[in-house]
Amino acid sequence: MNTAKSRQPNGASSIFQSKDGRWHGYVSVGVKDDGTPDRRHVSRKTRPEVTKAVRELEKQRDSTGVRKAGQTWTVETWLTHWVENIAAPHVGENTIDGYRVAVYHHLIPGLGAHRMEKLEPEHLERLYRKMQANGSASGTAHQAHRTVNTALNEAVRRRHLTTNPASIAKAPKVEEEEVEPYTLEEIQCLLLEAAKHRHHSRWVIALALGLRQGEALGLKWDDVDFEQGVLFVRRGRLRPRYKHGCGNKCRRKPGYCPQKISTRRETKDTKTHAGKRTIGVPEQLLTLLRRHKEEQQRERILARDLWAEKGYVFTSPTGEPLNPNTDYHKWKDLLKAAGVREGRLHDARHTAATVLLILGVPEAIVDRIMGWEPGKSARMRRRYQHLTGQVLQQTAAKVGELLWGPASGPRGMRPAARGFAPPHHGDGCLQGTVYVARLGERLVPFLHRELADFLVSQWGDDHGESLAELEEWGREKWEDMGPGGTQAIRDKIPDRRIVHHAHAVFLPGGERLNIGCDDQQSVAAWEFETDLYTDLPVRWHTTRRPGQEVEAQVRGTDKAAVFAAFPEACAQATDRARHPGNYGDLNAC
């Protein structure tokens, strides 16, 4: 019989008692950077205690993984390392500026002394509340949350942490900012005042075309095609950063050093493909730009050797691109001089988008002019749907004045002109016939009989067993009995007959819910009354349902384009399901 003691297999945990009576345990959790086994040590007074500790370490190793051996990180040392050595080389200048503000001004002062593996979600939540109590906006606290969440995700990925406490902490709630477009009267006051200033066309571009500040300041004369009447948006102006050229002998901030040295490029390409766009320019604005170019030529002659020729449309008196901070203060001065309410420079962009939507410009054109990305543009447009009645009434009044002349009389009635005035009943109802397509129990009204006939015939071809007929109603009858009143009467029908669809639903973890279902569907054009209809070749978006599932919807008249866009929509939906905070789904935790 072999009495030799049997050995534990390689990599197995071991427990033994030392000469001093303490019990020790060693657990293999992986391999170190140099290739040697990574065995973790635990020590307790009794065997049951050390056995329990060994089992817990083994369980952690087999589930979430054990924290990587090596440097013991504090929140301060990790955030500093992450923002300077990991994030800075791989993100844009504006993004790293935001990260540094969150890290150095909020996170390190509030949490820096914690050992990273000891950081708890409650520590983060108390910091957010303290920030807001001290006057920080909820958006600032939310930016700090997003930053620390990104930094700690990287720590988990590199096995310096096993779990990310920021992914568990409740993020500060951020209310979506209200869109406050300027009224037509305010726009007129601004433009009148802007005409007195050096960069008149700068503010016309902001209010008429809705360019972002960086896009407007990054324009070069090569981007303006006077012959075609278009403007190309290709780049954005970055906020400048400087360092001392005097060795800090001047004792000023780097930006005010007489020998300052720029450490950042002047512009960068637009962030997204949608941001790089071509915009039609009204002839009046082209005239202003031609005049501005002539004035700039006179400034170039006056500056002589001081002029730095870089081709920018809007420059300092010596040809340098405008500093965004200077531009911001000029906007504030313009508001004050024009007697217009205080507002952000971005409100000029809101105003341009508002005007486009009020004028009924097709959504695809609005998206292109504003530079909104497919998949996100619908959310952006929804922010403009609660436009104040004052703006709508003022726009309607301007249109009415154009067609029927100035308002007159105590009730603001306009005289008939050029045969435009419509006939009225004594009770104010418009006269005329409404052609109603009765599709089963459904009523669809039209101003023109041929369109109603077309819809009835198409319905009959595809739904032979269902009732479809044409009826003639007086307008008064439709206003009394028809759903929606006069506003529901349509004067045209979409050109396309088939709209193709792709649809998928994803669970919060990213797993697709409707596996086995057909991806693509199509629907006839009479469904155009619902949100299923579009006359665009393709459009898509993702939304979060009340039950926290994420839905990907693609639709369009071009079947191939719909099929091609579907994987991209599903990829965004999967990412949104897994990382709701990145998409503003603050209640999806």
Side-chain angles (χ1 to χ4, degrees):
M1 180 177 179
N2 186 2
T3 59
K5 292 183 179 180
S6 61
R7 293 183 56 184
Q8 289 280 75
N10 288 337
S13 302
S14 59
I15 299 175
F16 62 91
Q17 188 178 26
S18 61
K19 292 180 180 180
D20 62 2
R22 286 188 65 86
W23 286 87
H24 302 267
Y26 283 88
V27 180
S28 296
V29 297
V31 179
K32 296 180 181 178
D33 290 341
D34 61 1
T36 59
D38 185 0
R39 286 177 64 81
R40 303 295 172 86
H41 171 249
V42 292
S43 176
R44 301 290 187 272
K45 290 183 179 181
T46 66
R47 184 183 182 99
E49 289 175 336
V50 80
T51 301
K52 181 180 179 182
V54 166
R55 297 291 179 263
E56 288 176 352
L57 194 54
E58 289 175 334
K59 184 178 180 181
Q60 185 181 5
R61 174 197 63 190
D62 298 336
S63 56
T64 60
V66 178
R67 185 174 59 86
K68 188 176 181 181
Q71 179 178 356
T72 299
W73 297 95
T74 65
V75 172
E76 179 177 6
T77 56
W78 173 253
L79 288 179
T80 303
H81 171 72
W82 170 79
V83 76
E84 300 300 342
N85 301 314
I86 299 175
H90 299 99
V91 300
E93 289 89 340
N94 291 336
T95 301
I96 198 61
D97 282 349
Y99 283 164
R100 284 177 174 143
V101 169
V103 165
Y104 295 124
H105 291 270
H106 302 295
L107 295 171
I108 288 179
L111 300 169
H114 283 282
R115 286 179 58 182
M116 190 164 64
E117 70 272 15
K118 298 295 184 181
L119 187 65
E120 299 290 342
E122 292 75 17
H123 296 145
L124 294 164
E125 291 163 346
R126 283 195 288 269
L127 172 66
Y128 305 150
R129 288 196 296 272
K130 184 177 179 181
M131 288 175 60
Q132 292 175 283
N134 290 338
S136 293
S138 57
T140 304
H142 198 272
Q143 168 68 8
H145 171 77
R146 291 198 305 270
T147 301
V148 72
N149 186 49
T150 303
L152 295 184
N153 273 338
E154 186 64 27
V156 172
R157 196 173 73 85
R158 297 175 182 234
R159 293 179 48 227
H160 299 310
L161 273 181
T162 56
T163 58
N164 178 2
S167 66
I168 302 171
K170 295 292 185 182
K173 186 175 182 180
V174 179
E175 297 292 340
E176 192 169 66
E177 63 185 11
E178 291 290 328
V179 173
E180 294 187 64
Y182 287 106
T183 64
L184 295 174
E185 284 71 16
E186 288 173 326
I187 294 172
Q188 290 168 352
C189 291
L190 285 170
L191 294 181
L192 284 173
E193 181 61 31
K196 305 173 186 177
H197 294 265
R198 178 168 167 262
H199 288 146
H200 180 195
S201 52
R202 158 72 182 101
W203 310 117
V204 177
I205 283 177
L207 291 162
L209 302 183
L211 266 64
R212 301 174 178 90
Q213 183 192 40
E215 294 171 342
L217 299 188
L219 285 175
K220 294 190 174 184
W221 287 115
D222 290 343
D223 302 323
V224 183
D225 189 331
F226 290 103
E227 295 297 324
Q228 298 295 324
V230 296
L231 182 150
F232 302 98
V233 179
R234 299 185 173 113
R235 71 190 70 81
R237 173 78 165 103
L238 292 171
R239 293 187 177 276
R241 289 290 180 271
Y242 302 101
K243 68 178 181 180
H244 282 283
C246 66
N248 202 18
K249 294 178 182 178
C250 66
R251 301 298 180 184
R252 301 179 182 179
K253 291 183 178 180
Y256 295 95
C257 174
Q259 302 174 43
K260 64 185 178 185
I261 300 172
S262 177
T263 60
R264 176 175 288 181
R265 54 184 172 160
E266 293 174 347
T267 63
K268 69 170 185 177
D269 290 344
T270 56
K271 184 176 180 180
T272 64
H273 178 73
K276 188 169 291 187
R277 59 200 188 276
T278 304
I279 302 175
V281 183
E283 183 58 40
Q284 296 90 334
L285 179 52
L286 288 174
T287 300
L288 287 178
L289 287 170
R290 290 189 185 96
R291 191 180 306 156
H292 177 73
K293 194 171 186 179
E294 293 170 359
E295 293 171 354
Q296 190 180 89
Q297 177 60 26
R298 286 192 288 271
E299 289 182 345
R300 183 183 290 106
I301 295 171
L302 288 173
R304 298 185 180 180
D305 295 342
L306 295 178
W307 185 268
E309 183 53 65
K310 297 184 177 181
Y312 288 101
V313 174
F314 303 112
T315 68
S316 71
T318 58
E320 295 288 347
L322 285 182
N323 188 314
N325 190 49
T326 302
D327 183 68
Y328 168 81
H329 289 294
K330 290 292 185 183
W331 167 255
K332 292 297 184 179
D333 293 341
L334 179 66
L335 293 176
K336 189 179 297 184
V340 173
R341 63 180 169 86
E342 178 69 13
R344 305 165 307 165
L345 179 52
H346 205 68
D347 289 341
R349 177 171 166 81
H350 288 326
T351 301
T354 299
V355 171
L356 292 172
L357 290 169
I358 290 176
L359 293 177
V361 176
E363 292 180 354
I365 304 301
V366 175
D367 295 347
R368 184 170 181 84
I369 292 174
M370 301 304 295
W372 290 334
E373 285 187 86
K376 297 181 181 178
S377 56
R379 181 179 66 84
M380 296 300 296
R381 283 194 302 273
R382 279 199 300 272
R383 297 178 58 203
Y384 298 85
Q385 298 306 310
H386 68 291
L387 299 173
T388 61
Q390 183 183 9
V391 174
L392 295 171
Q393 291 165 9
Q394 290 173 346
T395 304
K398 296 293 182 183
V399 173
E401 184 176 329
L402 175 66
L403 296 179
W404 293 291
S408 62
R411 300 184 62 185
M413 297 296 293
R414 295 179 175 84
R418 301 184 184 92
F420 282 111
H424 281 72
H425 285 305
D427 60 0
C429 296
L430 290 171
Q431 294 180 352
T433 302
V434 177
Y435 299 96
V436 180
R438 182 183 288 277
L439 313 174
E441 297 298 321
R442 187 173 177 188
L443 303 176
V444 184
F446 293 94
L447 284 176
H448 304 291
R449 182 186 185 108
E450 62 273 17
L451 298 177
D453 276 331
F454 174 78
L455 183 57
V456 168
S457 65
Q458 290 296 320
W459 179 272
D461 291 343
D462 287 358
H463 299 75
E465 72 284 357
S466 300
L467 175 65
E469 57 184 3
L470 179 67
E471 299 179 2
E472 295 186 11
W473 292 26
R475 292 227 183 185
E476 185 175 0
K477 178 182 176 181
W478 176 258
E479 289 181 349
D480 291 339
M481 300 175 59
T486 305
Q487 295 299 321
I489 301 174
R490 301 182 178 276
D491 60 356
K492 62 180 180 180
I493 196 169
D495 297 331
R496 308 282 184 173
R497 181 170 174 270
I498 296 295
V499 179
H500 300 280
H501 290 256
H503 171 258
V505 178
F506 297 83
L507 295 173
E511 180 183 359
R512 183 165 169 179
L513 181 63
N514 55 340
I515 294 176
C517 299
D518 292 336
D519 296 336
Q520 284 76 26
Q521 305 166 0
S522 62
V523 64
W526 43 72
E527 296 293 344
F528 71 91
E529 286 186 290
T530 73
D531 62 354
L532 296 178
Y533 182 76
T534 178
D535 58 359
L536 299 178
V538 65
R539 62 180 298 185
W540 64 269
H541 70 277
T542 62
T543 55
R544 183 172 293 277
R545 291 178 169 182
Q548 306 308 329
E549 300 91 356
V550 175
E551 187 175 25
Q553 285 272 10
V554 187
R555 56 180 67 107
T557 57
D558 186 334
K559 185 175 182 180
V562 170
F563 284 16
F566 188 53
E568 184 179 0
C570 287
Q572 185 186 97
T574 303
D575 186 67
R576 184 170 185 172
R578 292 173 178 168
H579 309 102
N582 294 343
Y583 296 82
D585 299 335
L586 303 181
N587 297 321
C589 299

